[in-house]
Amino acid sequence: MKKKIVKLDINNHVYEVLVSATDLLVDVIRKQIGLTGTKKGCGQGDCGACTVLVDGEAQLSCLMLAIACEGKKITTIEGIANQETGELHPLQQAFLDHGAVQCGFCTPGMVLSSKALVDNNPTPTEEEIKHALEGNLCRCTGYVLILEAVESYVDSLAKGEV
Ligand code: FES
Ligand code: FES
């Protein structure tokens, strides 16, 4: 299949990649760009492991064509830590502090879905958090600790601590 060079803005860095019309964003991010924080689980839109932010919204990168993402701003889990100091984003830290990470396979997607929610709605209710995370499956921790982690981040944000 004929390939085309596209420019993808990922974590505020523009990458030029050679893609075919059917190359999936998740595969380009992981295999061509080498950002393996984005996970590929089911590959068919069921698990949320591949979640990235596209123009600030949580999207499943296994359902997106890379070629369609030119001109959009993509953020992966590698892009939310402090780029200068390497310090984790407070939401990542909250997951660690609350033991909401076990194997970590679902964690990037969980964090990015939560971030998209809180960026748009800094004071979500428990129901709104659950709704935002309902497409992200975790096979390890159960969801209580994950919910606690997000709620604690929301709380810290409200208190101006982060
Ligand atoms: S890998 Fe994309 S939803 Fe499962
Ligand atoms: S921590 Fe293992 S799948 Fe969620």
Side-chain angles (χ1 to χ4, degrees):
M1 189 178 295
K2 199 161 175 262
K3 297 201 173 196
K4 179 182 172 203
I5 291 179
V6 295
K7 291 182 182 172
L8 294 180
D9 180 338
I10 302 179
N11 304 335
N12 294 320
H13 182 92
V14 177
Y15 297 87
E16 283 196 0
V17 285
L18 190 60
V19 297
S20 72
T22 56
D23 283 342
L24 298 172
L25 181 60
V26 63
D27 293 327
V28 171
I29 288 173
R30 288 179 54 83
K31 295 180 188 164
Q32 291 202 44
I33 297 172
L35 293 172
T36 53
T38 302
K39 303 305 181 206
K40 190 174 185 185
C42 65
Q44 53 188 22
D46 289 333
C47 74
C50 64
T51 302
V52 297
L53 304 183
V54 179
D55 289 338
E57 300 292 333
Q59 301 284 356
L60 300 173
S61 60
C62 75
L63 298 184
M64 299 194 85
L65 297 174
I67 211 162
C69 293
E70 200 162 29
K72 300 180 192 293
K73 285 191 85 63
I74 298 162
T75 306
T76 70
I77 194 69
E78 291 89 347
I80 66 166
N82 185 310
Q83 297 300 302
E84 280 164 25
T85 64
E87 193 184 352
L88 292 179
H89 186 281
L91 191 47
Q92 292 174 297
Q93 191 61 49
F95 271 66
L96 284 184
D97 294 345
H98 287 264
V101 177
Q102 221 173 83
C103 79
F105 200 81
C106 69
T107 312
M110 289 282 184
V111 169
L112 290 175
S113 291
S114 309
K115 186 169 187 306
L117 168 69
V118 178
D119 286 352
N120 288 314
N121 171 12
T123 54
T125 61
E126 184 180 328
E127 283 314 305
E128 286 170 327
I129 297 171
K130 285 182 182 171
H131 181 64
L133 292 179
E134 67 191 4
N136 293 80
L137 304 184
C138 176
R139 290 172 176 79
C140 301
T141 67
Y143 297 91
V144 174
L145 298 175
I146 292 168
L147 190 58
E148 280 178 13
V150 179
E151 285 180 324
S152 92
Y153 171 65
V154 168
D155 198 41
S156 306
L157 208 57
K159 290 180 183 150
E161 295 169 354
V162 292

